Amino acid sequence: MPGNEQSVQFSYAKTDGDKLIHIGAAIRNGKYLCPGCHEPMIPVLGEHKAKHFRHHKAVCSYESYLHQAAKMAIYHRLLNEDTVTLTLARVAQCKSPKADLFAGFHEPCNVFIPARYNLKTLFNQVELEHHDPETGLKPDVLLTNTNSKAKCYLEIYVTHPCSVEKISSGIPILEFHVTSEADITALISCELSVEETDLTHYNFKPVDRVVDNCLDECKNALVGIDIWSISPNGRLQKHTQKYKDFEHTEVSTSCAWPKALPSSLQLGRLRDMLQQADPAGVHANCLNCVFASNWDDGFLNCNKKHARVPYTEAKLCAQYRPLS
């Protein structure tokens, strides 16, 4: 989280106009109040100590101060700024045509991508510590839209997390965990996200997104895909590429599939490929023999000879019986 204020307490105070001010903007003779206890605070602006606000007389709970200051920070931001960005994680489902190369052997790739919202577009009214008349609950900050029934609760968590009652209401809730001055600074200046603020959200699920292009963070990116062909003399040829290196329609699923495909399935796929490449059966090939089974990287079991043979054995084999 940004900021270097973890070692400084009471960096914020309220002005006479009930606005939150940072010690960096304070003036020596200004009048300031504590956001927590509402008692006077004095700006300490010396050169030798870190600048901060000091209570004039009262002894204030630091937890109460953090809670109230954080509420004011997010409230005034939503009240005064045109754009307040919320970023949540959205599941992106890959529907790339090249996923067909997996032949059902690998699950399609789902990754998390950012879902960004402008809270000021979603909600046009912001209220501080206002009861929700529909639920009877009082969030720290209530966001509503006067043109719809949309609403959202913003909660500040210092020592007490969001109540079960609020969560079970079904209302979307954004809960910010605040433990230091730096967390308040983040609420004022940073994108509202898990990465930049300590954010937990409830009842706020972005709709999954379907994409038709391979995702940059594809979990299958390094899967090896074998691409097969047959030479003019009938020999099989194979080269392997990583899935991420394919263009979407570069090869046909009839001649390309995962390197790790089980041998029994590879045998069937190779036979289908040979049938398309050599429909007249010009080239004798053990793959097309009724006695062949258990393909293993160029070798098969010959159930007639009871031996392991190379697939090219058929060219000189008197027992060769092509599949019908």
Side-chain angles (χ1 to χ4, degrees), residues 8-11 23 42-45 49-54:
V8 178
Q9 291 190 344
F10 303 111
S11 294
I23 187 63
I42 300 170
V44 178
L45 304 174
K49 291 185 178 181
K51 296 179 180 180
H52 64 282
F53 288 102
R54 176 170 53 82

Side-chain angles (χ1 to χ4, degrees), residues 202-243:
Y202 306 96
N203 311 320
F204 206 136
K205 185 179 183 303
V207 177
D208 292 351
R209 181 180 172 189
V210 175
V211 295
D212 58 7
N213 292 317
C214 191
L215 300 161
D216 291 338
E217 299 178 12
C218 177
K219 68 178 181 181
N220 298 313
L222 301 181
V223 171
I225 302 292
D226 287 340
I227 304 141
W228 295 86
S229 61
I230 185 170
S231 68
N233 64 0
R235 293 185 69 88
L236 292 174
Q237 296 179 322
K238 178 187 78 171
H239 73 277
T240 304
Q241 281 184 229
K242 293 176 182 176
Y243 176 72

Side-chain angles (χ1 to χ4, degrees), residues 122-123 132 134 143-152 171-172:
L122 296 177
F123 307 102
D132 181 348
E134 293 184 7
L143 298 179
T144 55
N145 190 321
T146 56
N147 300 317
S148 68
K149 294 183 178 180
K151 67 178 66 176
C152 179
I171 305 297

Side-chain angles (χ1 to χ4, degrees), residues 172-194:
I173 299 171
L174 302 174
E175 180 185 68
F176 300 95
H177 192 191
V178 174
T179 61
S180 70
E181 313 285 326
D183 296 332
I184 298 173
T185 301
L187 287 178
I188 293 172
S189 59
C190 293
E191 182 180 84
L192 304 181
S193 65
V194 173

Side-chain angles (χ1 to χ4, degrees), residues 11 18 206 258 299:
S11 294
D18 206 30
F299 291 83

Side-chain angles (χ1 to χ4, degrees), residues 98-99 101-103 105-107 109 218-227 240-246 257-261:
K98 76 174 186 177
L101 292 171
F102 291 138
F105 191 64
H106 289 269
E107 289 294 323
C109 183
C218 177
K219 68 178 181 181
N220 298 313
L222 301 181
V223 171
I225 302 292
D226 287 340
I227 304 141
T240 304
Q241 281 184 229
K242 293 176 182 176
Y243 176 72
K244 69 181 181 66
D245 296 330
F246 282 96
W257 49 83
K259 187 177 185 65
L261 203 66

Side-chain angles (χ1 to χ4, degrees), residues 88-306:
L88 302 178
R90 181 204 306 272
V91 174
Q93 303 176 13
C94 178
K95 298 295 183 181
S96 169
K98 76 174 186 177
D100 292 341
L101 292 171
F102 291 138
F105 191 64
H106 289 269
E107 289 294 323
C109 183
N110 291 342
V111 300
F112 288 101
I113 61 173
R116 289 188 171 87
Y117 308 91
N118 179 7
L119 289 177
K120 295 299 294 287
T121 301
L122 296 177
F123 307 102
N124 60 11
Q125 184 167 291
V126 53
E127 297 170 286
L128 183 64
E129 297 181 327
H130 183 82
H131 276 94
D132 181 348
E134 293 184 7
T135 64
L137 300 170
K138 186 172 78 170
D140 289 331
V141 178
L142 174 63
L143 298 179
T144 55
N145 190 321
T146 56
N147 300 317
S148 68
K149 294 183 178 180
K151 67 178 66 176
C152 179
Y153 292 174
L154 271 61
E155 298 291 333
I156 302 300
Y157 162 29
V158 179
T159 54
H160 301 291
C162 190
S163 69
V164 174
E165 183 182 14
K166 284 180 179 175
I167 296 172
S168 62
S169 71
I171 305 297
I173 299 171
L174 302 174
E175 180 185 68
F176 300 95
H177 192 191
V178 174
T179 61
S180 70
E181 313 285 326
D183 296 332
I184 298 173
T185 301
L187 287 178
I188 293 172
S189 59
C190 293
E191 182 180 84
L192 304 181
S193 65
V194 173
E195 287 73 21
E196 300 199 40
T197 56
D198 195 344
L199 168 64
T200 302
H201 60 89
Y202 306 96
N203 311 320
F204 206 136
K205 185 179 183 303
V207 177
D208 292 351
R209 181 180 172 189
V210 175
V211 295
D212 58 7
N213 292 317
C214 191
L215 300 161
D216 291 338
E217 299 178 12
C218 177
K219 68 178 181 181
N220 298 313
L222 301 181
V223 171
I225 302 292
D226 287 340
I227 304 141
W228 295 86
S229 61
I230 185 170
S231 68
N233 64 0
R235 293 185 69 88
L236 292 174
Q237 296 179 322
K238 178 187 78 171
H239 73 277
T240 304
Q241 281 184 229
K242 293 176 182 176
Y243 176 72
K244 69 181 181 66
D245 296 330
F246 282 96
E247 295 297 331
H248 287 232
T249 56
E250 189 175 19
V251 295
S252 168
T253 56
S254 64
C255 64
W257 49 83
K259 187 177 185 65
L261 203 66
S263 60
S264 59
L265 297 179
Q266 289 209 44
L267 178 60
R269 299 294 291 268
L270 285 167
R271 281 174 168 169
D272 291 342
M273 186 206 69
L274 287 171
Q275 180 60 38
Q276 291 186 35
D278 184 20
V282 172
H283 302 289
N285 188 313
C286 287
L287 282 162
N288 284 332
C289 180
V290 295
F291 300 121
S293 63
N294 297 330
W295 168 263
D296 182 18
D297 197 23
F299 291 83
L300 297 123
N301 285 348
C302 178
N303 300 322
K304 186 69 174 179
K305 295 181 178 180
H306 304 289

